[in-house]
Amino acid sequence: LAKTTQPISMDSYEGQEVNITCSHNNIATNDYITWYQQFPSQGPRFIIQGYKTKVTNEVASLFIPADRKSSTLSLPRVSLSDTAVYYCLVSSGNTPLVFGKGTRLSVIA
Amino acid sequence: EAGVTQSPTHLIKTRGQQATLRCSPISGHTSVYWYQQALGLGLQFLLWYDEGEERNRGNFPPRFSGRQFPNYSSELNVNALELEDSALYLCASSLKAGGHNEQFFGPGTRLTVL
């Protein structure tokens, strides 16, 4: 199972863009990169997924360089409600998700 | 469309007892996953069921077991409860099997072992 490394915590002011980088040096050819968001006492929620280059949806963007050994989740103009734990995961069809401890993002007014 | 449901919301047991947690996936979803989240820790993968079969198992002792029923609902059983089993147990379902498919999580069952 590919292992991911991401910062334990980050702070940001409201309205700023937040970029959370995740390292996954041992990513396999058929692995996808997925990010989930979790609020306290709730189950995680899917944010975005990508395989290579850039993916954008209404919530975030995901940047993946050509070597796929890292990825960056970009949250535009964060608000207080974006305070949560963000998990970076890599997985393929036959493997379950392996959640690490994630990155605790605190958005400050 | 109803989301993933779990019951009970809270469960209090004493050491040595057995606990049964239940999960109903989103309609049409065939894969069910169970996770444990102890206080201050990340989610630990427990079990993955698909089409009634156990597909994968995390690094947990055999006293953690489960099953998936023909209607794709699932049950997690924890025998011989220990204090460190106190945690939030989350169930998730996905439309297709495989970790890369979007998983939808339920609200969880908070198990407290006294």
Side-chain angles (χ1 to χ4, degrees):
Chain A
L1 298 174
K3 180 180 176 180
T4 61
T5 302
Q6 51 184 124
I8 294 174
S9 64
M10 295 181 68
D11 294 332
S12 176
Y13 287 101
E14 272 191 300
Q16 289 189 327
E17 177 184 76
V18 171
N19 295 308
I20 306 174
T21 297
C22 177
S23 297
H24 27 80
N25 292 318
N26 298 321
I27 190 168
T29 303
N30 55 348
D31 280 338
Y32 284 79
I33 300 156
T34 312
W35 287 78
Y36 281 78
Q37 174 193 56
Q38 185 181 26
F39 298 112
S41 298
Q42 293 185 24
R45 182 178 71 103
F46 174 95
I47 300 176
I48 197 167
Q49 182 182 76
Y51 184 80
K52 60 180 180 180
T53 63
K54 176 184 174 182
V55 179
T56 297
N57 62 23
E58 64 278 5
V59 177
S61 294
L62 179 60
F63 299 92
I64 306 169
D67 65 6
R68 303 199 331 124
K69 293 184 182 299
S70 68
S71 59
T72 299
L73 174 72
S74 181
L75 304 172
R77 299 179 298 282
V78 294
S79 64
L80 294 176
S81 62
D82 292 317
T83 294
V85 178
Y86 292 81
Y87 297 94
C88 165
L89 306 100
V90 293
S91 62
S92 63
N94 296 322
T95 59
L97 291 179
V98 178
F99 287 82
K101 293 189 177 182
T103 297
R104 185 172 300 276
L105 173 66
S106 297
V107 180
I108 307 163
Chain B
E1 178 183 304
V4 176
T5 59
Q6 292 186 245
S7 63
T9 304
H10 293 89
L11 190 57
I12 299 175
K13 295 285 186 178
T14 56
R15 285 177 58 190
Q17 285 189 313
Q18 187 232 9
T20 298
L21 289 65
R22 297 179 176 83
C23 171
S24 291
I26 291 173
S27 177
H29 287 195
T30 62
S31 270
V32 170
Y33 313 81
W34 286 95
Y35 298 87
Q36 181 197 66
Q37 187 168 36
L39 192 63
L41 300 179
L43 280 80
Q44 304 293 315
F45 166 71
L46 262 167
L47 290 160
W48 169 16
Y49 291 97
D50 182 65
E51 298 281 2
E53 300 289 328
E54 182 180 299
R55 290 288 298 271
N56 210 314
R57 181 184 179 85
N59 189 25
F60 280 83
R63 56 192 187 82
F64 286 84
S65 65
R67 54 179 170 168
Q68 186 178 33
F69 299 99
N71 66 353
Y72 303 115
S73 67
S74 178
E75 193 175 88
L76 173 69
N77 294 294
V78 187
N79 293 319
L81 284 166
E82 300 179 1
L83 296 178
E84 53 265 34
D85 296 333
S86 294
L88 180 67
Y89 289 82
L90 291 161
C91 170
S93 72
S94 64
L95 183 61
K96 296 180 181 179
H100 67 289
N101 291 295
E102 181 179 352
Q103 293 185 16
F104 296 81
F105 283 79
T109 292
R110 185 161 297 280
L111 173 64
T112 302
V113 182
L114 303 175

